[in-house]
Amino acid sequence: MTAVEVTNLVKKYGSFDAVKGISFSINEGEIFGLIGPNGAGKTTTLRTISTLLSINSGSVTILGYDLKKQANEVRKFISYLPEDAGAYKNMTGKAYLQFIANFFDAKHVADMVKKGIEITDLGTRINDRVDTYSKGMMRRLLVGRALMTNPKFAVLDEPTSGLDVLNAQEIRKIIKSTAQQGTTVLLSSHNMLEVEYLCDRIALIFEGKIVEEGKPKALMEKYKVRNIEEVFTKVVHHQ
């Protein structure tokens, strides 16, 4: 079943078209990757789908809700993790998760926080102040925050941004298991190996347009190359 349907989406900043009429769909429980270089329109697309930016034209439907008319309904079941997200530095990790959980379902705060602590896997450091965390620990806390609510739809912008190999691997495992439990995931990344490992399907975005779409393996076969990076290079050179 289709969870997300994006049709001819246009997003302008003044007279500049950041996103130029893109269309794609995401199936329920799928990890869908939107990949491309910086400035291609990835983050703008994610922010628009996450209800943070208004749609200039086109439409987005998420689990049957029209984003233009029913943004408040959509906000109840989606979770968005920006690339540059931060947490309150003077709180402990656990207090931060509790603070966020209270915005959702008061009856299930304890369960959410428990799940958040499991996801972050910070051990006793969850009781330390956030301003003592390394970048990797901070990112794990934020991924825990984004996924502890069991969102029906999670939008993750560069989820492993700035992480070392081990931390990045942990985050990927978490994202995979979240999808296996039924969450639909849209993520952006410029790490092509990550995309290859994580995504069921991908769309390549370049200069505000989707230039190719499909399963990573099928795209590699189509372009007779060994990895997604080479697919992207070939596609962009044909533009």
Side-chain angles (χ1 to χ4, degrees):
M1 188 178 152
T2 303
V4 181
E5 191 73 59
V6 177
T7 311
N8 298 325
L9 176 65
V10 173
K11 180 63 200 168
K12 297 171 185 279
Y13 294 111
S15 60
F16 173 66
D17 287 6
V19 176
K20 303 170 181 171
I22 65 171
S23 300
F24 60 89
S25 62
I26 309 172
N27 299 320
E28 256 179 58
E30 187 172 46
I31 301 178
F32 188 92
L34 191 63
I35 67 170
N38 291 336
K42 297 191 303 283
T43 293
T44 298
T45 302
L46 266 49
R47 283 185 183 152
T48 305
I49 290 172
S50 302
T51 78
L52 297 181
L53 297 175
S54 60
I55 296 170
N56 288 108
S57 69
S59 67
V60 178
T61 308
I62 302 175
L63 296 175
Y65 292 95
D66 182 332
L67 200 57
K68 271 186 185 167
K69 298 173 188 158
Q70 299 167 294
N72 282 336
E73 290 303 312
V74 171
R75 286 184 193 115
K76 290 174 187 171
F77 60 76
I78 75 168
S79 188
Y80 171 56
L81 175 66
E83 182 182 1
D84 53 2
Y88 296 111
K89 298 244 170 34
N90 58 351
M91 282 183 166
T92 67
K94 186 176 180 182
Y96 173 70
L97 293 178
Q98 282 169 330
F99 173 71
I100 297 296
N102 275 307
F103 285 106
F104 289 87
D105 188 342
K107 283 182 280 193
H108 297 106
V109 166
D111 290 341
M112 274 185 205
V113 172
K114 184 170 177 254
K115 183 168 182 183
I117 289 170
E118 279 170 18
I119 291 170
T120 59
D121 196 23
L122 289 170
T124 57
R125 293 299 306 272
I126 196 75
N127 299 310
D128 293 346
R129 277 168 52 124
V130 171
D131 61 6
T132 68
Y133 286 7
S134 67
K135 186 162 186 182
M137 292 166 71
M138 174 72 127
R139 201 67 186 154
R140 282 159 72 153
L141 179 70
L142 291 166
V143 169
R145 185 268 290 163
L147 300 180
M148 72 180 179
T149 59
N150 291 324
K152 289 180 184 170
F153 180 43
V155 180
L156 311 174
D157 195 357
E158 300 285 351
T160 60
S161 170
L163 297 189
D164 63 32
V165 173
L166 292 176
N167 272 309
Q169 277 180 341
E170 283 302 310
I171 299 279
R172 283 180 206 132
K173 278 185 200 155
I174 292 162
I175 294 168
K176 260 211 144 113
S177 74
T178 302
Q180 281 159 358
Q181 288 161 35
T183 297
T184 302
V185 178
L186 168 62
L187 63 85
S188 85
S189 180
H190 58 255
N191 180 332
M192 303 291 177
L193 287 172
E194 173 165 288
V195 161
E196 231 166 280
Y197 167 74
L198 268 181
C199 298
D200 300 301
R201 286 187 306 127
I202 59 172
L204 307 180
I205 188 166
F206 183 64
E207 295 181 346
K209 294 178 189 161
I210 288 190
V211 291
E212 185 56 283
E213 191 184 334
K215 294 185 175 180
K217 202 171 175 190
L219 291 174
M220 287 186 264
E221 284 168 8
K222 178 178 173 180
Y223 289 94
K224 298 182 174 61
V225 293
R226 291 161 304 173
N227 57 48
I228 289 299
E229 209 161 78
E230 291 176 18
V231 170
F232 192 76
T233 307
K234 276 202 166 185
V235 171
V236 165
H237 283 157
H238 284 138
Q239 293 303 305

